[in-house]
Amino acid sequence: MTDGREVQWVEVTEGQVGQRVDNFLITRIKGAPRALIYRIVRKGEVRVNKKRVKADTRLALGDVVRIPPLKLAPREAVREVSDNLRNLLAGSVLLEGRDWMVLNKPSGLAVHGGSGVKIGLIEALRQVREDLDFLELVHRLDRDTSGCLLLAKSRPALLALNESLKRHEMNKQYLALVAGRWPARRDFVSARLDRFDAGNGERRVRVDSGGKVARTRFAVREAFARATLIEAEPITGRTHQIRVHAAHAGHPLLGDDKYGTREAGRIAAQFGLSRLFLHAASLTFPEPTSGKPVKIRAPLGETLDGVLESARNAR
């Protein structure tokens, strides 16, 4: 990893074959934001085999990448990983294979930096796991959602897992606590979703006939006096899909500050809930090398378990 004080020439290894130049540089230049990476590539300061390249150029085995010396201004640098975050991420690994890993993502941690977020999970994990030359997200979770998050540790694994996603060979099941009594017979929601600008640069999603097709399966896991624990399985992968579909069905997720209602807010407060109750509870995917199914579960944790106990005791 470059320290920014001198030019480095780095040879591409087998695990980095096919990686984009910008992603390669992000793993090598500690603390560099994407905007800076794009700038030095555009100016020709980054060379591959002594030739100018674009940010999306794919690397081949044996390519030699020139990395220029960089001195990051404090306002530009990606924040260093704190000891607390380092320990949190280290303790969040649920299972790790040769070329993939699954984390139990903490709620409140964005998967990517940007838009006011100095450091996201992927940037932090690249600092923590300096033994890895390649580390990319296979899919994403909302910032406030916790649970199973899959990452690839090699380019071939990323391609194989992305293909599994496209073929619907990857199954993701979520647990959510919603306001009111979810009807036992309401097991499927199909409503088109459209992204829109809600003001102040915030992007939200709404049900709209002109939006993209979105389908979610729902099942009641446990019914309480004022809320219902449901299992949600997104058939499609739209932004905020589970949250918007649940709200559209008249039962918004508790702790949802974007799509919730005042009544849902009162119920959440009664249960002592201070975060979004949406948790990626299980993930099943074909192992990228052998094709054998891998199934991983992420425990809810003490906080959400405590909320469920409060829900059971509520009247």
Side-chain angles (χ1 to χ4, degrees):
M1 182 173 292
T2 182
D3 60 7
R5 290 178 292 185
E6 59 184 20
V7 172
Q8 289 202 355
W9 300 88
V10 181
E11 186 171 344
V12 174
T13 62
E14 185 175 348
Q16 299 158 333
V17 171
Q19 193 172 19
R20 286 170 48 128
V21 166
D22 53 356
N23 291 330
F24 175 86
L25 293 172
I26 285 170
T27 63
R28 304 294 307 185
I29 307 175
K30 190 174 182 179
R34 284 188 177 270
L36 178 60
I37 295 296
Y38 295 145
R39 187 162 71 242
I40 62 175
V41 172
R42 188 171 59 250
K43 289 182 176 180
E45 296 178 47
V46 175
R47 301 286 177 116
V48 176
N49 302 328
K50 299 184 179 180
K51 297 179 181 179
R52 295 177 71 115
V53 291
K54 295 181 178 180
D56 61 356
T57 297
R58 301 285 181 179
L59 296 171
L61 183 65
D63 280 350
V64 177
V65 182
R66 178 192 188 273
I67 303 178
L70 292 174
K71 185 176 181 180
L72 301 179
R75 61 181 177 80
E76 284 188 310
V78 172
R79 194 177 70 194
E80 289 285 328
V81 178
S82 66
D83 288 340
N84 285 341
L85 181 55
R86 184 179 293 271
N87 293 334
L88 179 63
L89 291 176
S92 296
V93 177
L94 293 170
L95 192 63
E96 186 168 354
R98 187 188 68 175
D99 50 8
W100 55 267
M101 72 169 72
V102 179
L103 297 184
N104 186 359
K105 187 189 90 65
S107 174
L109 179 62
V111 293
H112 265 305
S115 301
V117 179
K118 269 291 186 180
I119 190 168
L121 180 145
I122 187 65
E123 292 88 5
L125 200 58
R126 283 169 179 155
Q127 290 187 41
V128 172
R129 294 296 301 270
E130 293 184 300
D131 58 309
L132 300 177
D133 291 327
F134 184 100
L135 191 61
E136 292 289 344
L137 295 163
V138 175
H139 63 103
R140 299 187 180 196
L141 292 176
D142 293 345
R143 180 174 183 169
D144 296 324
T145 303
S146 55
C148 294
L149 182 68
L150 178 61
L151 301 98
K153 299 195 293 184
S154 73
R155 174 92 184 148
L158 179 64
L159 294 175
L161 292 168
N162 281 339
E163 190 62 28
S164 295
L165 266 175
K166 291 177 183 177
R167 293 179 179 177
H168 302 287
E169 297 171 342
M170 195 173 293
N171 181 265
K172 293 177 279 186
Q173 292 185 327
Y174 295 75
L175 289 177
L177 189 62
V178 301
R181 288 292 190 98
W182 186 280
R185 288 182 289 182
R186 186 69 185 268
D187 59 358
F188 195 83
V189 173
S190 180
R192 290 176 175 266
L193 300 180
D194 180 51
R195 298 180 67 176
F196 68 99
D197 188 351
N200 298 324
E202 184 182 7
R203 301 287 288 178
R204 291 198 184 187
V205 178
R206 62 190 168 200
V207 172
D208 189 288
S209 59
K212 294 182 178 180
V213 171
R215 299 184 178 92
T216 310
R217 288 195 185 101
F218 291 98
V220 173
R221 287 283 296 271
E222 190 173 356
F224 311 109
R226 304 194 65 194
T228 309
L229 179 67
I230 60 172
E231 184 177 272
E233 180 186 346
I235 308 304
T236 52
R238 310 302 180 199
T239 301
H240 297 171
Q241 178 175 316
I242 294 172
R243 298 163 67 178
V244 178
H245 274 175
H248 179 64
H251 300 277
L253 269 62
L254 298 189
D256 195 337
D257 59 0
K258 290 183 184 294
Y259 308 106
T261 60
R262 289 183 180 179
E263 176 62 16
R266 285 191 286 267
I267 297 171
Q270 179 187 358
F271 296 166
L273 178 63
S274 57
R275 52 154 287 193
L276 177 70
F277 201 121
L278 183 60
H279 180 73
S282 70
L283 174 68
T284 304
F285 62 93
E287 208 281 332
T289 302
S290 67
K292 294 180 179 179
V294 178
K295 184 166 186 177
I296 302 172
R297 295 185 180 277
L300 278 175
E302 291 183 9
T303 298
L304 296 186
D305 278 337
V307 169
L308 290 182
E309 193 59 34
S310 296
R312 292 185 184 103
N313 297 327
R315 297 189 182 279

